[in-house]
Amino acid sequence: MASGVKPRVKVPKKATPGEAITIKTLISHQMESGQRKDKEGNIIPRSIINRFTCEFNGQLVTDITIEPAVSTNPYFQFEAIVPEAGDFKFTWYDDDGSVYDATKSIAMA
Amino acid sequence: MNYKALTAIAVALSLPLSAYADADDDTLVLNEEETLVTKTAAPAHLSDVMDEVMSGWHFRSDETQALQMDDFENPAMVFVDKAFDAWETVEGTEEKSCASCHDDVEESMAGVRAVYPKWNEQAGEVRTLAMQVNDCRENQMGAKPWKYTGGDMTAMEALISVQSRGMPVNVAIDGPVQSMWEQGKEMYYARTGQLELSCANCHEDSYGLMIRADHLSQGQINGFPTYRLKNAKLNNVHARFKGCVRDTRAETYKPGSSDFVALELYVASRGNGLAVEGPSVRN
Amino acid sequence: MEFSRRETLGLALGAAVMTVLPLRVSASIVDDRIAEFTGGADMADTGIELTAPEIAENGNTVPISVDAPGATAIMVLATGNPTPGVATFNFGPLAGSQSASTRIRLAGTQDVVAIAKLADGSFAKASAAVKVTIGGCGG
């Protein structure tokens, strides 16, 4: 596991049924592009978050394929429809096989 | 080609970008709730050289400014979260965490960032926030000190800074700190390095102008630690000083050295009255 | 400010070097990625919006957003990067809109391209020219 990876997610606490809400996510990650060289001139191997998904009660909101041009500490903002109370599940997939996740509950207003 | 010619090129090339010149008049509203003081009357000790002090926020593009206006847009806040975990983590031979002595960070650290660097009577020295953190780690917790400019330290500085956001910087410059403040002032105006540049050449005489494609600010440090787009991480004041001194092509002082403490004390006092912004977002 | 002849020459040379030219990687990589995504289909120039700053303060962190109502997927390419791929957004049944924002790296001044696969199987493309400024002291 890459060291010190920490996710951060913003989801409103409440929504009305069927409402589209805005979600913001960020995860601390170096996103080593595979283009940089170390002091000895050797290529530093690529090590990035390559995929991010967001599901609500098991249904897909978004599934993002990520390539090395996404900045360090990758940030995504998108909208989700909330048909009922439940849980958002966020999952980040690391090149090194690690998987990081976060869950946020939302209630009906 | 001499430095004058280089500067002329930079100035000539910056003309097409003249829309960037001068600080802007935008308002820094945090999380759509709190308006921060980013321009204010210069403190009395600066009244001979400038009328108004301005946050570096005014010298950045709209896109960069926006990153600091919302705590979920601000990439530094994930490091604040990390430092919050560290705050509650027991470390060292004394089996203590920060919280063991200081309890709730939101209460105990409110207002702290605004008055640092400050005199520590017991130790008989001027201390920066980072020095104080490491003193706690070594002498209260029995833990290893953090690297002065390392990620653990800058994150902790950010966590502590957040508790004072919006409060006016209010660094004391008299009494026991006065001699160190004078030393810092001397450093600020001393030309250094092969380029023979003082802090004042860029940040007092030339703020608002372009240096190549970058916009010179007043070099205020009310926003530190700052998340820089350039290196995509939190940077503390001494790390930034080191970069500036290096860019004058001088041998730099060490982060944490008494020279940089003196400079930080003086530079911090030039922002007395501006709101604490840390962790800010800058280029 | 006065300059000697040599300094003036240096000035012109310096200015020429510092003028930023748009980057281009081999066009075929970009074309291949687009062909792979669209299957070679034509792309309309309406139906997708790509928002990016005209001038990016730092190429390390450039905010962009894409919006293509009704799209099932949007692919973003940085045509001047050593590897042009940025991200592909796939929208599920609970997407509140077919839009997203992120922050990307641009190796220099270049065109950013976004291509949407629309619900009817057709494609739409938008592009934005982003000037990436060089740093002040020390780059």
Side-chain angles (χ1 to χ4, degrees), chain A residues 3-10 24 26-28 72-73 75 77, chain B residues 70-75 77-79 81-82 85 227 231-233:
Chain A
S3 63
V5 172
K6 190 172 179 75
R8 181 170 164 83
V9 175
K10 185 189 191 184
K24 296 177 181 182
L26 188 140
I27 188 162
S28 64
T72 301
N73 306 323
Y75 167 89
Q77 180 184 323
Chain B
D70 177 318
D71 281 350
F72 276 87
E73 304 270 335
N74 186 338
M77 295 308 283
V78 75
F79 301 99
D81 286 353
K82 274 190 183 180
D85 294 343
Y227 185 92
N231 56 18
K233 64 172 188 173

Side-chain angles (χ1 to χ4, degrees), chain B:
Chain B
M1 190 162 37
N2 64 12
Y3 176 70
K4 195 168 69 179
L6 270 173
T7 310
I9 290 173
V11 171
L13 282 174
S14 71
L15 286 180
L17 296 174
S18 56
Y20 262 2
D22 294 335
D24 68 17
D25 288 324
D26 295 346
T27 304
L28 174 48
V29 180
L30 198 60
N31 301 319
E32 296 179 0
E33 287 170 3
E34 189 185 359
T35 301
L36 300 194
V37 174
T38 52
K39 288 185 184 182
T40 192
H45 69 86
L46 277 186
S47 59
D48 289 348
V49 292
M50 55 174 67
D51 298 329
E52 191 176 41
V53 287
M54 284 178 268
S55 160
W57 185 81
H58 284 291
F59 297 83
R60 304 273 53 98
S61 71
D62 289 349
E63 290 83 10
T64 307
Q65 287 181 331
L67 295 181
Q68 199 189 315
M69 296 175 77
D70 177 318
D71 281 350
F72 276 87
E73 304 270 335
N74 186 338
M77 295 308 283
V78 75
F79 301 99
V80 170
D81 286 353
K82 274 190 183 180
F84 188 75
D85 294 343
W87 182 265
E88 311 217 307
T89 303
V90 171
E91 265 190 89
T93 54
E94 301 303 309
E95 297 188 357
K96 283 183 190 170
S97 68
C98 306
S100 307
C101 294
H102 299 289
D103 298 326
D104 183 352
V105 66
E106 290 185 20
E107 283 179 28
S108 61
M109 293 297 127
V112 168
R113 164 67 176 83
V115 296
Y116 267 82
K118 69 177 268 199
W119 182 253
N120 183 305
E121 187 61 45
Q122 215 176 354
E125 64 178 7
V126 176
R127 279 201 181 152
T128 62
L129 207 45
M131 286 164 76
Q132 189 58 54
V133 168
N134 266 346
D135 183 77
C136 275
R137 288 184 59 79
E138 283 187 275
N139 298 319
Q140 305 296 330
M141 297 166 69
K144 277 191 180 163
W146 280 327
K147 186 185 171 200
Y148 197 94
T149 55
D152 290 322
M153 182 62 85
T154 55
M156 185 56 71
E157 288 177 282
L159 173 69
I160 294 170
S161 184
V162 163
Q163 317 311 331
S164 302
R165 267 196 313 188
M167 297 179 190
V169 174
N170 184 20
V171 171
I173 65 173
D174 51 6
V177 308
Q178 192 183 348
S179 63
M180 202 166 207
W181 183 83
E182 298 285 357
Q183 184 198 339
K185 183 176 179 181
E186 205 162 290
M187 288 172 74
Y188 190 86
Y189 287 101
R191 287 178 179 267
T192 173
Q194 291 177 322
L195 296 183
E196 295 184 10
L197 285 169
S198 70
C199 307
N201 289 144
C202 285
H203 297 293
E204 184 174 290
D205 304 338
S206 310
Y207 66 84
L209 298 179
M210 305 298 290
I211 183 162
R212 300 213 291 184
D214 208 351
H215 200 188
L216 276 173
S217 74
Q218 288 185 347
Q220 297 287 357
I221 57 174
N222 59 307
F224 278 79
T226 189
Y227 185 92
R228 295 191 69 190
L229 305 184
K230 172 181 174 162
N231 56 18
K233 64 172 188 173
L234 276 167
N235 300 259
N236 63 11
V237 173
H238 289 202
R240 189 70 195 90
F241 282 171
K242 190 179 161 190
C244 263
V245 175
R246 181 203 60 214
D247 290 344
T248 70
R249 300 190 195 162
E251 296 249 3
T252 80
Y253 304 101
K254 277 203 173 69
S257 65
S258 67
D259 299 280
F260 271 168
V261 174
L263 188 60
E264 178 175 348
L265 173 64
Y266 176 69
V267 176
S269 78
R270 291 175 68 97
N272 274 350
L274 292 173
V276 171
E277 284 178 38
S280 63
V281 182
R282 301 284 188 264
N283 186 26

